[in-house]
């Protein structure tokens, strides 16, 4: 059965639109459902990892990247099938050949820059996260004020200040503990083999420490953690000691 060009273009456009919705949907899903660490602590009141279909937010980010590449491929395919129409449009509306050439070169350069430039950028490394903790403290107190007005009305100024000071002290202790792990980069998308190779640690010792069989050392830590109930920070502590 032979598909004519019009039907093929329509199929490509439909698939491209659905793919675009997948990219947008996963982006919203990662941003607002599988929230980052600080937001998770606020929302659930403790340090937890969020999964959907066995994948954490980093793995869903990888799926989002694949969907983005697929969308780019479909877009290029769309351009190829509409190439004659695009060329005719440019020739009709930009009569000056030199100007046409310059605009095309600029378009290609800008497109490539936007696609490749993120790989060349370097992030800012900041160790002072005090601002985030103060923001969290005031946000928590604001929630108390809105949800427990009667209780807060009976609390005097001294008790409010004590609450803030105590909470900040707890946060400082947590921050010091977390800072110890900043140099140990272990996440749920890694495997025990990855960790052992990255930090030059015996795979047998690593697996034994969290009671995971060696036969499962190529599976993601996020999935293993759900089954064997080990803590990622305990794993980081073990790596740090080694």
């Amino acid at each position: 059965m032979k598909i004519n060009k019009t039907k093929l273009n329509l199929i490509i456009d439909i698939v491209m639109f659905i793919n675009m919705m997948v990219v947008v949907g996963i982006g919203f899903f990662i941003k607002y459902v599988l929230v980052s660490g600080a937001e998770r602590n606020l929302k659930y009141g403790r340090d937890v990892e969020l999964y959907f279909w066995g994948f954490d937010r980093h793995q869903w980010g990888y799926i989002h990247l694949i969907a983005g590449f697929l969308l780019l491929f479909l877009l290029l395919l769309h351009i190829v099938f509409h190439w004659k129409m695009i060329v005719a449009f440019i020739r009709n509306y930009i009569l000056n050949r030199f100007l046409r050439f310059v605009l095309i070169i600029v378009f290609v350069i800008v497109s490539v820059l936007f696609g490749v430039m993120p790989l060349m950028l370097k992030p800012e490394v900041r160790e002072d996260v005090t601002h985030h903790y103060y923001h969290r403290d005031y946000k928590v107190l604001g929630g108390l004020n809105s949800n427990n007005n009667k209780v807060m009305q009976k609390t005097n100024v001294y008790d409010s200040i004590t609450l803030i000071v105590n909470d900040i002290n707890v946060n400082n202790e947590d921050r010091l503990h977390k800072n110890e792990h900043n140099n140990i980069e272990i996440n749920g998308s890694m495997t025990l083999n990855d960790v052992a190779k990255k930090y030059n640690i015996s795979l047998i010792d690593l697996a034994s420490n969290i009671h995971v069989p060696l036969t499962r050392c190529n599976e993601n830590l996020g999935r293993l953690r759900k089954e064997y109930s080990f803590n990622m920070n305990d794993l980081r502590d073990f790596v740090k000691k080694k």
Side-chain angles (χ1 to χ4, degrees), residues 137-164:
D137 294 333
Y138 285 111
K139 190 170 183 180
V140 170
L141 287 174
L144 289 174
N145 281 322
S146 60
N147 297 324
N148 302 286
N149 286 329
K150 292 182 180 179
V151 175
M152 291 303 292
Q153 285 172 0
K154 295 179 181 179
T155 305
N156 58 33
V157 176
Y158 174 79
D159 291 335
S160 298
I161 295 174
T162 303
L163 175 63
I164 294 174

Side-chain angles (χ1 to χ4, degrees), residues 7 46 83 89 107 117 120 149 174 182 194 196:
K7 288 183 179 179
R46 62 190 188 280
W83 183 250
F89 178 85
F107 174 79
M117 191 184 297
M120 303 177 182
N149 286 329
D174 291 341
N182 281 346
D194 294 335

Side-chain angles (χ1 to χ4, degrees), residues 19 23 60-72:
N19 196 121
V23 171
W60 276 105
Y62 183 69
I63 296 172
H64 186 261
L65 178 63
I66 294 174
F69 280 130
L70 180 58
L71 179 60
L72 179 61

